[in-house]
């Protein structure tokens, strides 16, 4: 796919920056246009790969913001996104609209600018363009507290409704023991880039051999056309020191058994990688049999592909998801040094992490209201003269 990618807020901008870095390091091409929108000037300045002309500061005229952020308030984020929509739309004029397959709006859902502004932007893009608008949302860690959970639960509803499909990443899934919140998010961003580019850049032409089973953007778009929330699985394996081409000379002097064994090994390798991906960490943990549609992409040197392995993997996933809506294809990359598998599980409906987030958000809402009420009483007690002998000026 060719996408116009917009990072909204601090986390969104960092993810887009990481996508561009991953493309630069791997020679892949997914982002035909990249934009970062934020209300905090200092966060925009920290980006390395998003072009400076494509970094848009919003909320400068809002007295609550003034270039210093939305203060973790999604209402402020939504308001300034609407107020400065002309500024954003002018920047979007640079999108090569005839060369893209869709838009991807990226945001962290626990803060203020992204959680409030990203759904507003997604809705605006859907109204303005015929191309599909997808979302990519990063959930806050549970230990970040009630306020981020409250923001994320509210934003999740709006963001899902405003997009064709919302791919979720759960930071808790990727944080390791001893990680700080910042380290956890950095690890999440790296995993996001690897999975998103492997999956969505399938079908990109780079001079590699094209097979009959090659994936293209229409396959990805069809799988994402379900609406709802999606998760991505991923696994990779190093290549054997001797590829099948490298064994060609020796094979001429054998009776073909080596070639049969190679094919059998590759069948098991491809099938095993797909199973490993789905059974290990998803971007957000979900019951895989609740997915409406699925897509398998096998990426790497064509010599490592196995159509038999692909077929077995697809049949296995059909049984696991209890669905025949499974597409599978390969993504030839002659210069790749690993064989990678990405599996998109589209419109998953049983996601325990979302249930837990919503429960945490309900508790947080109650606590926020109780604290506000108690605080007013405490302030009154502090400044009121109990003796009644003092008159205010």
């Amino acid at each position: 796919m060719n996408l116009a990618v917009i990072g909204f807020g601090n986390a969104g901008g960092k993810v887009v920056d990481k996508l561009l870095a991953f493309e630069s390091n791997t020679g892949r091409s997914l982002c035909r246009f990249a934009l970062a929108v934020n209300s905090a000037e200092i966060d925009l300045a920290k980006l390395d790969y998003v072009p400076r002309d494509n970094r848009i500061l919003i909320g400068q005229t809002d007295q609550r913001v003034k270039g210093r952020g939305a203060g973790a308030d999604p209402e402020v984020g939504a308001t300034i996104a609407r107020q400065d929509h002309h500024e954003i739309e002018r920047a979007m004029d640079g999108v090569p609209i005839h060369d893209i397959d869709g838009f991807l709006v990226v945001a962290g859902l626990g803060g203020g600018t992204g959680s409030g502004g990203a759904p507003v932007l997604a809705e605006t893009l859907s109204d303005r363009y015929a191309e599909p608008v997808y979302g990519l949302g990063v959930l806050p860690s549970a230990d970040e507290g009630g306020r981020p959970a409250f923001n994320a639960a509210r934003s999740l509803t709006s963001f899902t409704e405003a997009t064709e499909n919302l791919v979720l990443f759960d930071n808790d899934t990727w944080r390791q023991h001893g990680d700080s919140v910042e380290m956890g998010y950095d690890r999440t961003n790296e995993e996001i880039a690897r999975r998103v580019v492997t999956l969505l850049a399938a079908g990109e032409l780079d001079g590699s051999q094209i097979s009959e089973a090659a994936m293209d953007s229409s396959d990805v778009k069809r799988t994402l056309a379900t609406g709802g929330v999606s998760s991505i699985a991923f696994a990779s394996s190093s290549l054997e020191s001797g590829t099948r081409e490298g064994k060609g000379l020796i094979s001429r002097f054998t009776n073909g058994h080596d070639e049969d064994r190679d094919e059998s090994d590759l069948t098991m390798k491809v099938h095993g990688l797909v199973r490993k991906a789905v059974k290990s960490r998803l971007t957000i943990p979900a019951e895989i049999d609740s997915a409406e549609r699925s897509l398998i992409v096998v990426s790497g040197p064509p010599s490592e592909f196995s159509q038999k392995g692909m077929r077995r993997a697809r049949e296995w996933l059909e049984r696991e998801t209890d669905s025949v809506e499974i597409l599978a294809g390969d993504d030839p990359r002659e210069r790749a040094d690993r064989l990678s598998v990405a599996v998109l599980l589209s419109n998953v409906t049983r996601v325990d992490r979302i249930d837990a987030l919503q429960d945490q958000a309900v508790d947080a809402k109650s606590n926020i209201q109780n604290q506000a009420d108690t605080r007013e009483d405490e302030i009154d007690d502090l400044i009121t003269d109990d003796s009644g002998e003092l008159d205010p000026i």
Side-chain angles (χ1 to χ4, degrees):
M1 299 184 77
N2 297 322
L3 296 176
V5 184
I6 305 99
F8 217 109
N10 184 30
K14 286 182 176 179
V15 171
V16 171
D17 216 47
K18 190 70 74 173
L19 286 173
L20 297 177
F22 188 85
E23 287 186 335
S24 176
N25 294 334
T26 60
R28 302 302 301 270
S29 179
L30 171 70
C31 307
R32 285 292 183 268
F33 176 86
L35 181 72
V37 182
N38 205 343
S39 61
E41 189 172 10
I42 190 171
D43 292 332
L44 287 174
K46 294 177 182 177
L47 302 178
D48 296 317
Y49 288 86
V50 177
R52 290 194 176 277
D53 290 344
N54 287 7
R55 304 178 194 180
I56 307 302
L57 182 65
I58 61 173
Q60 297 182 73
T61 60
D62 192 295
Q63 295 299 312
R64 298 166 295 181
V65 181
K66 292 186 176 181
R68 297 184 181 87
D73 188 339
E75 299 288 354
V76 174
T79 297
I80 60 177
R82 294 188 182 97
Q83 289 175 344
D84 290 353
H85 71 96
H86 291 303
E87 185 88 8
I88 300 172
E89 289 173 5
R90 275 196 296 272
M92 296 297 294
D93 287 340
V95 174
I97 196 64
H98 298 296
D99 293 333
I100 67 167
D101 298 297
F103 296 88
L104 181 65
V105 181
V106 187
L109 304 187
T113 304
S115 65
V120 173
L121 175 61
E123 187 173 356
T124 299
L125 293 174
S126 296
D127 291 341
R128 185 177 180 184
Y129 299 98
E131 288 71 19
V133 179
Y134 306 111
L136 194 162
V138 182
L139 298 181
S141 298
D143 60 7
E144 288 183 53
R147 171 63 76 174
F150 182 49
N151 291 347
R154 297 178 65 201
S155 180
L156 180 60
T157 300
S158 302
F159 209 3
T160 304
E161 292 176 351
T163 54
E164 185 98 352
N165 200 298
L166 178 62
V167 178
L168 285 182
F169 285 77
D170 178 26
N171 192 51
D172 274 344
T173 301
W174 301 101
R175 281 186 65 185
Q176 296 183 1
H177 181 71
D179 274 357
S180 65
V181 171
E182 188 65 27
M183 288 176 61
Y185 273 120
D186 191 57
R187 192 185 312 281
T188 298
N189 294 345
E190 292 176 2
E191 297 296 342
I192 287 173
R194 184 175 292 110
R195 283 156 174 72
V196 168
V197 173
T198 301
L199 180 71
L200 299 185
E204 166 201 358
L205 299 177
D206 70 348
S208 297
Q209 169 189 341
I210 304 299
S211 71
E212 292 183 3
M215 190 64 61
D216 63 32
S217 62
S218 63
D219 298 318
V220 182
K221 290 170 75 172
R222 185 184 185 283
T223 307
L224 288 170
T226 58
V229 165
S230 296
S231 186
I232 301 174
F234 179 87
S236 68
S237 174
S238 59
L239 305 181
E240 295 182 8
S241 57
T243 64
R244 297 171 77 187
E245 285 82 352
K247 298 176 183 177
L249 181 62
I250 298 175
S251 297
R252 297 174 190 172
F253 301 98
T254 68
N255 59 7
H257 291 311
D258 284 347
E259 188 171 329
D260 291 340
R261 186 170 62 248
D262 284 349
E263 177 61 31
S264 177
D265 289 346
L266 291 179
T267 297
M268 294 178 61
K269 186 174 186 178
V270 170
H271 183 201
L273 272 180
V274 172
R275 292 176 65 116
K276 178 183 178 182
V278 174
K279 292 295 186 180
S280 59
R281 289 183 297 182
L282 305 177
T283 55
I284 183 165
E287 297 294 332
I288 63 174
D289 61 355
S290 71
E292 182 177 348
R293 295 176 185 170
S294 301
L295 175 74
I296 302 170
V297 175
V298 180
S299 180
S303 60
E304 298 294 307
F305 293 163
S306 166
Q307 295 308 313
K308 184 182 292 186
M310 186 91 70
R311 184 176 67 253
R312 288 185 180 178
R314 187 183 66 247
E315 292 170 351
W316 172 80
L317 192 57
E318 285 180 355
R319 293 193 298 270
E320 290 293 308
T321 60
D322 193 25
S323 170
V324 296
E325 294 281 358
I326 311 290
L327 294 176
D330 54 48
D331 180 38
R333 299 293 144 199
E334 297 277 6
R335 295 182 292 276
D337 59 2
R338 298 183 69 84
L339 182 67
S340 301
V341 166
V343 182
L344 172 65
L345 300 171
S346 184
N347 194 21
V348 289
T349 54
R350 293 198 301 277
V351 185
D352 289 343
R353 178 69 180 93
I354 292 180
D355 293 337
L357 177 76
Q358 291 169 338
D359 289 342
Q360 188 180 9
V362 170
D363 291 340
K365 179 181 179 181
S366 177
N367 290 338
I368 290 169
Q369 186 59 54
N370 290 338
Q371 289 172 3
D373 294 341
T374 302
R375 197 66 177 164
E376 288 184 10
D377 293 338
E378 290 175 345
I379 292 173
D380 287 340
D381 290 342
L382 175 65
I383 64 175
T384 300
D385 171 33
D386 293 335
S387 68
E389 295 183 6
L390 299 177
D391 297 325
I393 297 174

